[in-house]
Amino acid sequence: MKKVGIIMGSDSDLPIVEKAVNMLKSLEIPYEVHIYSAHRTPAQAAEFSKNARANGFGAIIAAAGMAAHLAGAIAANTTLPVIGIPCKSSVLDGMDALLSTVQMPTGIPVATVAINGAANAALLAAQIIAVDDAQLAARLDEKRAADAAKVLEKDAALEI
Ligand code: RP5
């Protein structure tokens, strides 16, 4: 199975990124996690992205806050699908990172999830990998069914 790369701009993004890691683990998807910054270590971020396809990755998740250029900088160096997680920082509540990540110019797309939307980033990466992996697609179907069952349980237990 193809791997998912998870890149974060700083170790301060780890509490958010952990939700993506846990989701990939629960779906039995191989992954690698790195700290590469678009601003502080741009050469390493570019190197990883240029070699990602040859190194067995099928999708890359990039998490960054503030002036979050990481997802775009990674997408500039690969045609693998790149999923951006805008991370909430202390000052502008993540709106800065959301706009920096989502507003990509034509030609270099980044699939942007919600602010701090790490679990959805992992699910989207899983769905990309599952395009040609029937077993993973079946695990995703099972998860959807289990999630729906939980909602119906709560509906049945409602006493208002
Ligand atoms: C971004 O700046 C990182 O992704 C992080 O969200 C934010 C702050 O980084 P630190 O100053 O905490 O390392 O590049």
Side-chain angles (χ1 to χ4, degrees):
M1 188 191 297
K2 293 256 198 304
K3 292 182 285 184
V4 174
I6 305 180
I7 313 300
M8 65 192 114
S10 165
D11 63 345
S12 65
D13 300 319
L14 192 52
I16 296 162
V17 163
E18 272 173 347
K19 295 190 176 73
V21 172
N22 291 339
M23 185 64 75
L24 293 177
K25 273 187 190 163
S26 74
L27 291 165
E28 299 168 45
I29 297 173
Y31 62 89
E32 267 183 38
V33 186
H34 297 281
I35 302 167
Y36 296 137
S37 164
H39 306 117
R40 293 167 175 156
T41 59
Q44 287 78 4
E47 188 68 12
F48 175 87
S49 316
K50 283 175 192 164
N51 297 318
R53 188 183 293 276
N55 285 336
F57 291 93
I60 301 174
I61 294 170
M66 303 186 76
H69 297 117
L70 182 61
I74 287 173
N77 285 298
T78 181
T79 54
L80 289 175
V82 175
I83 302 161
I85 307 172
C87 296
K88 181 175 171 173
S89 53
S90 56
V91 187
L92 296 175
D93 282 339
M95 280 305 292
D96 43 0
L98 173 63
L99 295 177
S100 302
T101 305
V102 78
Q103 285 289 71
M104 287 299 293
T106 299
I108 310 292
V110 167
T112 306
V113 295
I115 296 168
N116 289 359
N120 261 2
L123 282 169
L124 183 53
Q127 290 178 199
I128 290 166
I129 304 286
V131 165
D132 61 3
D133 186 322
Q135 288 183 339
L136 177 57
R139 291 204 286 282
L140 285 166
D141 283 341
E142 280 166 24
K143 177 175 166 36
R144 287 266 177 114
D147 289 350
K150 278 183 215 157
V151 175
L152 294 175
E153 246 174 60
K154 286 177 190 168
D155 175 62
L158 208 53
E159 286 178 4
I160 293 177

